Amino acid sequence: MLTIGQFAALHGINKKTLMWYDEIGLFKPAAIHPENGYRCYNYYQSPILETILLLRELDVPLPEIQRFMQNRSSENMKNLLEEKIKELDLQIMHLQAVRKTLCNHQQNMTTLLTMDLSQISIIEKEERCLVTVDIDQDTTFEKEVELITAKTTSYRLGRLHDASYGSMIPVSSLLDGHFDAYTNLFIEIPFLKQEVGLHIQPGGTYLRAFHKGSWDELPKRYQAILSFAQDHRFTLSGYSYEKGINETVIDRLEDYIVQIEIPVLT
């Protein structure tokens, strides 16, 4: 037999926890000392207590644990564990998504601290899947917000900032001088699996540039980009992908920085 202190220490908990479990009828001692009334436990109770502690760690409510302990069976244990494994998988996916989002923000901050806004560079990107919504020049800002919110909700994102957002304009429109002919808004959701209906942003070589300030000045930046591509004999293809990279650290729209990335045929 073990004293309550010894048994608590064996399982890494406070003896008050054992006293509470006894009071609510969840886990009772093996015996009560006849002379001093102290609670006594035996080693064979350890697996039962560890089961309770595991369920508590999984945030199973006490009433549910009590019901399970009153009807312990292999089948009930299997069903309970399957349910909790599913919940854990969802939590893990959420944490992985949060981590990727934080890494993206960290990368943006590093870019802000090191970039030359006037520079146009060549980078390599991996293929990724994007959720897109269709827009045109007549789509109001309010409608764009409505469309993005609906798409975000359909993918069960906890918060808007669990994803990255941007806009797309066909390279063909840029070459024709239509610098405001946006056709899509995109949502980059971490760990999104490829499926029918998603837009595939191709991997490979990209031309990257930045624009700071009013969107009214974006056409001038695109003209500079097209001139750069022509001078270096680069063939641009697909879409230009735009996204803001400093929304979290600015107060004025004049300080807003757009990152522009366009695939280059090689």
Side-chain angles (χ1 to χ4, degrees):
M1 301 296 287
L2 300 171
T3 66
I4 188 171
Q6 292 171 326
F7 196 67
L10 179 65
H11 292 275
I13 60 175
N14 192 297
K15 64 181 183 180
K16 290 184 178 180
T17 300
L18 289 173
M19 295 170 65
W20 180 44
Y21 286 171
D22 182 16
E23 291 171 2
I24 65 175
L26 179 61
F27 183 75
K28 291 189 169 295
I32 301 294
H33 197 287
E35 296 180 2
N36 54 31
Y38 289 169
R39 296 171 174 85
C40 299
Y41 299 82
N42 63 50
Y43 179 77
Y44 299 103
Q45 291 181 282
S46 288
I48 299 175
L49 178 60
E50 282 298 321
T51 299
I52 294 172
L53 296 178
L54 171 62
L55 297 177
R56 289 290 287 163
E57 189 172 345
L58 294 174
D59 293 326
V60 179
L62 272 174
E64 189 175 341
I65 296 177
Q66 289 175 314
R67 286 193 298 272
F68 170 76
M69 296 304 294
Q70 292 167 3
N71 300 279
R72 279 188 299 145
S73 69
S74 298
E75 183 177 358
N76 287 343
M77 186 64 165
K78 172 180 173 292
N79 293 337
L80 181 59
L81 292 178
E82 284 179 350
E83 178 185 343
K84 294 306 168 185
I85 288 171
K86 289 179 182 178
E87 291 179 5
L88 278 177
D89 286 342
L90 290 175
Q91 292 176 21
I92 290 170
M93 288 178 61
H94 173 68
L95 288 174
Q96 289 176 330
V98 169
R99 186 183 190 282
K100 186 170 183 179
T101 300
L102 291 177
C103 288
N104 288 339
H105 285 314
Q106 181 188 40
Q107 183 178 4
N108 287 342
M109 294 307 104
T110 300
T111 300
L112 287 172
L113 293 171
T114 58
M115 69 180 177
D116 178 355
L117 285 177
S118 64
Q119 183 180 9
I120 299 175
S121 58
I122 301 300
I123 62 167
E124 296 295 323
K125 290 181 65 69
E126 295 182 356
E127 179 184 287
R128 60 178 180 167
C129 300
L130 302 176
V131 178
T132 60
V133 295
D134 297 334
I135 60 171
D136 56 35
Q137 291 174 282
D138 296 325
T139 306
T140 65
F141 177 74
E142 290 76 13
K143 183 61 177 179
E144 290 181 359
V145 172
E146 179 184 329
L147 291 170
I148 284 290
T149 302
K151 276 292 185 180
T152 300
T153 302
S154 69
Y155 279 87
R156 298 181 181 179
L157 290 178
R159 303 170 61 222
L160 284 175
H161 286 289
D162 286 346
S164 298
Y165 303 84
S167 54
M168 299 161 52
I169 182 170
V171 168
S172 57
S173 296
L174 298 177
L175 295 174
D176 290 338
H178 303 307
F179 300 111
D180 59 351
Y182 293 92
T183 57
N184 299 91
L185 302 176
F186 71 78
I187 312 171
E188 183 182 5
I189 301 174
F191 306 106
L192 183 65
K193 295 181 180 179
Q194 186 170 336
E195 59 185 58
V196 176
L198 294 179
H199 172 82
I200 306 300
Q201 182 180 0
T205 304
Y206 277 70
L207 185 152
R208 173 186 281 176
F210 300 94
H211 170 72
K212 181 179 180 180
S214 170
W215 282 288
D216 294 338
E217 299 296 319
L218 259 176
K220 292 182 180 178
R221 189 55 172 156
Y222 271 119
Q223 289 170 350
I225 292 170
L226 294 177
S227 295
F228 177 90
Q230 184 176 10
D231 291 344
H232 291 78
R233 296 184 178 179
F234 291 144
T235 301
L236 305 181
S237 67
Y239 293 86
S240 171
Y241 300 87
E242 298 179 8
K243 71 174 183 178
I245 63 171
N246 66 337
E247 300 103 321
T248 59
V249 293
I250 61 170
D251 295 317
R252 303 185 312 156
L253 186 59
E254 296 80 22
D255 296 323
Y256 189 81
I257 296 176
V258 176
Q259 176 181 277
I260 301 168
E261 294 179 340
I262 308 174
V264 175
L265 290 181
T266 55

